[in-house]
Amino acid sequence: MYENWPVTFDPPTRLVVDPPQRVLVSVALTVAGSSGGSFRDGVPLKVRSEGLAMDVKAPGLFHAWAKTGRGQWICCSYGLLLTN
């Protein structure tokens, strides 16, 4: 999956997890600005009832760690299965 992602630094800026591991992903943490808020934040009830639920956990596959340009490590997980 990461064959075309060159590694030129030591230590590398990515670490592949092989074989991929099953994980439970906190969806709210995957999208900036999606966590927080409350039921009294002025969002209409119809939006809360039909909008995407970001406060759930979903199964996924953990493939790699990748270092951001700010030096933080993030998880690269694919195959999230989001159901209603």
Side-chain angles (χ1 to χ4, degrees), residues 9-55:
F9 297 107
D10 190 30
T13 56
R14 67 168 166 85
L15 300 170
V16 175
V17 176
D18 190 24
Q21 301 293 309
R22 293 180 184 268
V23 292
L24 196 57
V25 178
S26 177
V27 175
L29 296 175
T30 65
V31 179
S34 64
S35 61
S38 70
F39 288 111
R40 297 182 184 170
D41 61 4
V43 176
L45 180 58
K46 66 180 182 179
V47 173
R48 288 197 311 254
S49 66
E50 293 183 5
L52 294 176
M54 301 301 289
D55 59 344

